Amino acid sequence: MTSDAYQFPVAISRLSEGETSREPQNLRAIQWLADQPGGPVAVVTPQKQVHSDILKRLVATSGVTHHSWRGFSTGSLAGRRVLYAWPNRMHLNGLWGVDADALAVIEWNEDETAEWIEDANPVQLFHGRTVEPVEERTDRHEPLPNGVDGILEHIAAMAAGYSSGLKWNEEDKLKADMMNRPERWAPVTVEQVRAKCRALGMRPDDVDTIAGFLQRLKEGRRFNVRSSYRTFHFN
């Protein structure tokens, strides 16, 4: 097990210092995936047209399925060994809960993958060396004041009970509390809330949603909340 979010082997192939071509990086991902047990191979690329000779040969191989982002569903990756080429942050977020046998990501932009790497804890593939996953996490966060810790723990527990993540009513409760008890949230930073939500194992999309709410509050913006929750606040 690589992480709590991914119950199967996960790796990311990264461009190494001195490499002037992406092909060795692509080959590292393919070779790692070939060594993993599991079902047939599925390749995901941003478009059907692929500007890589190595990947062109792979997708032309019998038994290999090729998906592009357009019309793509992560459900089609179940029971497969997946090569995911050049995903951005949004598409990496969409891999949460995928039921694959193994996953090899080919990195394009470090800024897009940095947070995913922390959460997924993958094997990192470089030229001539492999960085193994962190064996034991020691992340420690100072408790957030004014009951914010407990609120986020409650929201995380509710979201964990839904297959699709946070529901609208939990979002409305959170937005209403931010509007009705702004003093509660004033000393808390967006980065602290984001770190707490990630530590609670929340889905990346839910982390973005909650951090986005607080960012909007900090900017002095209002929320649209359904009438049944407009006066709501957490105790």
Side-chain angles (χ1 to χ4, degrees):
M1 182 173 65
T2 303
S3 73
D4 292 339
Y6 295 89
Q7 306 291 319
F8 48 82
V10 182
I12 182 168
S13 184
R14 314 189 73 181
L15 194 67
S16 300
E17 185 176 356
E19 289 184 329
T20 57
S21 168
R22 294 275 180 176
E23 292 293 60
Q25 178 190 9
N26 299 340
L27 182 59
R28 286 194 293 274
I30 293 171
Q31 290 175 333
W32 179 88
L33 193 66
D35 289 338
Q36 309 308 311
V41 171
V43 179
V44 184
T45 56
Q47 299 176 333
K48 279 291 187 180
Q49 186 176 11
V50 178
H51 300 288
S52 162
D53 290 338
I54 292 174
L55 291 182
K56 283 179 182 177
R57 288 196 294 272
L58 177 62
V59 299
T61 303
S62 177
V64 173
T65 57
H66 183 201
H67 305 275
S68 64
W69 290 355
R70 185 174 182 178
F72 168 66
S73 169
T74 56
S76 62
L77 304 181
R80 296 180 178 271
R81 291 173 295 156
V82 180
L83 182 75
Y84 210 126
W86 320 305
N88 59 22
R89 189 168 176 276
M90 180 183 73
H91 284 87
L92 287 171
N93 285 358
L95 290 173
W96 183 277
V98 67
D99 190 22
D101 287 340
L103 169 67
V105 170
I106 302 175
E107 181 182 66
W108 183 265
N109 185 318
E110 292 183 2
D111 291 340
E112 298 284 345
T113 60
E115 192 167 289
W116 178 84
I117 289 172
E118 290 185 18
D119 292 339
N121 195 25
V123 175
Q124 298 183 54
L125 308 172
F126 295 92
H127 174 67
R129 68 187 180 97
T130 298
V131 178
E132 296 295 333
V134 176
E135 289 294 330
E136 184 176 351
R137 301 297 184 98
T138 57
D139 298 338
R140 297 185 184 276
H141 302 282
E142 290 295 322
L144 301 183
N146 302 335
V148 172
D149 249 11
I151 291 172
L152 295 179
E153 288 166 3
H154 167 77
I155 293 292
M158 295 301 295
Y162 304 124
S163 60
S164 58
L166 205 58
K167 295 296 186 183
W168 69 266
N169 55 324
E170 302 301 334
E171 291 182 5
D172 270 14
K173 288 179 183 179
L174 193 56
K175 290 187 289 187
D177 190 85
M178 288 181 177
M179 287 193 300
N180 296 324
R181 295 287 303 276
E183 72 284 355
R184 186 205 301 276
W185 299 89
V188 181
T189 68
V190 174
E191 291 74 21
Q192 285 175 315
V193 165
R194 187 172 195 86
K196 176 65 177 181
C197 290
R198 291 175 61 204
L200 290 169
M202 298 187 73
R203 293 170 176 80
D205 285 342
D206 290 343
V207 175
D208 287 349
T209 295
I210 294 171
F213 289 164
L214 185 57
Q215 182 63 48
R216 288 169 61 185
L217 182 70
K218 300 287 186 183
E219 294 170 354
R221 297 162 63 187
R222 300 284 294 176
F223 300 105
N224 289 322
V225 178
R226 292 165 179 80
S227 59
S228 55
Y229 289 108
R230 282 177 190 157
T231 61
F232 176 86
H233 63 83
F234 291 99
N235 295 327

